[in-house]
Amino acid sequence: MKRPTLLPILVLLCLFTFSCSTDSIDENDNKVASTFVVPEAKQIEIEILELINEYRLTNGFSALDNMDIIKSQAFSHTDYMVETRDVSHHNFFQRKNYLINNAGATKVSENVAYGFSSAQSVVNAWLDSPGHKENIEGDFTDFDISAEMDSEGRWYFTNIFLKK
């Protein structure tokens, strides 16, 4: 074969070999759902969930249920924040879409935080912030949290809320 003819054929071969389809992405998401990582709850996480539900009940909102699939997404993001040493909402839409596709969510939101040393202090900080407070008081049905400590003893938090 002549060289100019070979190049377009190689390009087409690469495109067909490395392209993705929406169907295969959805299939992979469902496969991941059955193998997600859910670490055992830490005391600080349990306390945060209890404090948020106590606040909600005291203020006329319904209590939220926790879900392992939410915790898996929160854990993944918190682990990412610890690794990058960056408190962020990076890749939120991936977590949101995953929960829509795999947990039946119709609405998803999250709070993140860094550096607080107790459950009460992180919940107080979220309640003192209008945007974070709006999530805590929001029209949600389920939630969960991940708290991970970095090598220097600083806590990172991801709290995800969803509505079914």
Side-chain angles (χ1 to χ4, degrees), residues 50-73:
E50 289 173 349
L51 286 167
I52 289 173
N53 267 339
E54 181 181 307
Y55 173 85
R56 286 179 60 90
L57 290 170
T58 300
N59 289 280
F61 303 101
S62 61
L64 303 176
D65 294 321
N66 54 322
M67 291 178 68
D68 284 349
I69 195 168
I70 299 171
K71 184 167 186 68
S72 74
Q73 294 300 294

Side-chain angles (χ1 to χ4, degrees), residues 11 25 28 42 52 66 78 93-94 100 111-112 151 153:
V11 169
I25 289 172
N28 289 337
K42 296 172 187 69
I52 289 173
N66 54 322
T78 305
F93 290 104
Q94 289 175 355
I100 288 169
N111 289 343
V112 296
S151 60

Side-chain angles (χ1 to χ4, degrees), residues 24-83:
S24 65
I25 289 172
D26 290 341
E27 278 181 27
N28 289 337
D29 283 348
N30 289 333
K31 289 177 186 171
V32 171
S34 64
T35 61
F36 56 80
V37 176
V38 183
E40 188 173 326
K42 296 172 187 69
Q43 187 60 38
I44 194 168
E45 295 168 336
I46 294 167
E47 291 172 13
I48 291 169
L49 296 175
E50 289 173 349
L51 286 167
I52 289 173
N53 267 339
E54 181 181 307
Y55 173 85
R56 286 179 60 90
L57 290 170
T58 300
N59 289 280
F61 303 101
S62 61
L64 303 176
D65 294 321
N66 54 322
M67 291 178 68
D68 284 349
I69 195 168
I70 299 171
K71 184 167 186 68
S72 74
Q73 294 300 294
F75 171 71
S76 175
H77 184 61
T78 305
D79 194 46
Y80 166 82
M81 291 192 303
V82 169
E83 188 177 300

Side-chain angles (χ1 to χ4, degrees), residues 1-11:
M1 273 187 160
K2 294 180 187 176
R3 181 171 237 154
T5 308
L6 184 59
L7 184 60
I9 291 171
L10 287 174
V11 169

